[in-house]
């Protein structure tokens, strides 16, 4: 069964309590929390302060996706805010190995995210040191974009790399995931589905989460 990680970026920020309660009662496994700095991506979302509130609102895993430059400056703040998984972008890290070591030393799981143009082969020397790969299936920065089909090939390649090395690394797909394309995403070898608009714009978000979970 896939891990379902609804992205709160698409939640109703005027009534987050309602959306958190809905998620807590649903089959969702993780809260996917998108942090944007207006520098690495052309949008600004929220930071550790809001994550502290989400941490208080749920016992589910807080999966924090940092779309920011110099993530090493903030790793400790995100740990203190309650992040369980901290994902940094390969494209934002000159010293990626040092960054993932720092995240693990702080007691969090370490994830690495790749933009659509970055080849999964760039991960071959870091896969041993991480817990999760987040493959962006849209250009990061905004919810509600269209899934880039080439991601399916990247998932297959990455699944092969992970299995050949005998590792246990989660493959998370982020951007444009729908009930229609999720089966092929899972068939290609991914095991974590992020879904923003598909969940929060649904007329019955809980049922949509259950449908994704049942795939
Ligand atoms: C995009 C974010 C995603 C986004 C996904 O930069 O990383 O997590 O919220 O939203 P949907 O599922 O609507 O594409
Ligand atoms: Zn994300």
């Amino acid at each position: 069964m896939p891990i379902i990680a609804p992205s709160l970026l698409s939640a109703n920020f005027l009534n987050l309590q309602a959306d958190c309660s809905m998620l807590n009662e649903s089959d969702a496994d993780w809260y996917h929390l998108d942090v944007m700095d207006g520098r690495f991506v052309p949008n600004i979302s929220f930071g550790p302060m809001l994550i502290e509130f989400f941490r208080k609102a749920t016992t589910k895993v807080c999966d924090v996706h940092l779309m920011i430059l110099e993530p090493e400056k903030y790793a400790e703040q995100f740990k203190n805010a309650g992040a369980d998984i901290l994902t940094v972008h390969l494209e934002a890290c000159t010293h990626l190995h040092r960054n993932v070591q720092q995240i693990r030393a702080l007691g969090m799981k370490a994830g690495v995210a790749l933009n659509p143009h970055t080849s999964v082969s760039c991960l071959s020397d870091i896969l041993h040191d991480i817990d999760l790969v987040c493959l962006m299936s849209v250009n990061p920065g905004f919810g509600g974009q269209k899934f880039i089909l080439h991601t399916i090939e990247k998932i297959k390649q990455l699944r092969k790399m992970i299995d050949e090395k005998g590792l246990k690394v989660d493959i998370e797909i982020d951007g444009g995931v729908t009930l229609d394309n999720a089966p092929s995403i899972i068939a290609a070898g991914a095991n974590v589905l992020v879904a923003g608009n598909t969940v929060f714009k649904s007329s019955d978000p809980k049922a949509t989460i259950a449908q994704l979970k049942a795939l």
Side-chain angles (χ1 to χ4, degrees), residues 32 34 65 67 136 174 194:
H32 182 82
D34 289 301
H65 176 193
M67 285 160 273
M136 292 307 304
D174 188 4
V194 174

Side-chain angles (χ1 to χ4, degrees), residues 10 31 83 119 123 215:
S10 302
Y31 276 35
S119 167
L123 294 167
L215 289 172

Side-chain angles (χ1 to χ4, degrees), residues 1-190:
M1 270 196 187
I3 291 169
I4 308 302
S7 165
L8 276 292
L9 194 63
S10 302
N12 175 9
F13 278 67
L14 278 180
N15 194 354
L16 283 173
Q17 181 64 65
D19 281 341
C20 290
S21 301
M22 179 280 290
L23 287 184
N24 291 345
E25 291 161 16
S26 77
D27 293 333
D29 300 279
W30 297 355
Y31 276 35
H32 182 82
L33 302 168
D34 289 301
V35 176
M36 304 179 184
D37 66 354
R39 295 177 69 216
F40 180 68
V41 288
N43 197 8
I44 300 175
S45 58
F46 51 81
M49 189 190 88
L50 201 59
I51 288 168
E52 236 178 282
F53 282 98
F54 286 126
R55 175 73 290 160
K56 287 181 190 143
T58 191
T59 55
K60 298 196 188 228
V61 168
C62 284
D63 169 36
V64 177
H65 176 193
L66 296 185
M67 285 160 273
I68 67 173
L69 298 178
E70 301 179 307
E72 67 279 2
K73 286 191 180 168
Y74 304 97
E76 196 169 347
Q77 272 192 59
F78 284 104
K79 167 66 187 176
N80 294 339
D84 299 298
I85 305 169
L86 198 63
T87 296
V88 295
H89 267 264
L90 178 138
E91 301 86 359
C93 297
T94 308
H95 300 287
L96 183 62
H97 185 261
R98 181 182 287 152
N99 298 147
V100 299
Q101 305 250 69
Q102 177 200 26
I103 292 167
R104 282 185 157 180
L106 286 165
M108 296 176 283
K109 288 192 171 176
V112 173
L114 298 189
N115 279 339
H117 73 274
T118 305
S119 167
V120 294
S121 61
C122 295
L123 294 167
S124 62
D125 293 304
I126 196 80
L127 264 186
H128 294 87
D129 300 296
I130 63 179
D131 303 286
L132 173 144
V133 174
C134 174
L135 293 182
M136 292 307 304
S137 37
V138 298
N139 285 294
F142 305 93
Q145 302 181 77
K146 195 174 172 296
F147 183 84
I148 297 170
L149 207 52
H150 178 66
T151 312
I152 297 291
E153 285 312 309
K154 292 175 73 176
I155 300 169
K156 288 180 188 164
Q157 285 172 33
L158 180 60
R159 171 51 58 202
K160 195 160 171 264
M161 283 167 70
I162 291 170
D163 290 351
E164 277 174 5
K165 291 176 192 288
L167 299 170
K168 209 191 151 300
V169 178
D170 288 318
I171 302 180
E172 175 178 70
I173 305 307
D174 188 4
V177 173
T178 64
L179 283 168
D180 287 336
N181 61 25
S184 52
I185 292 170
I186 293 165

Side-chain angles (χ1 to χ4, degrees), residues 195-211:
N197 271 28
T198 290
V199 166
F200 288 100
K201 304 288 179 234
S202 158
S203 55
D204 189 345
K206 252 193 257 180
T208 300
I209 293 169
Q211 279 174 280

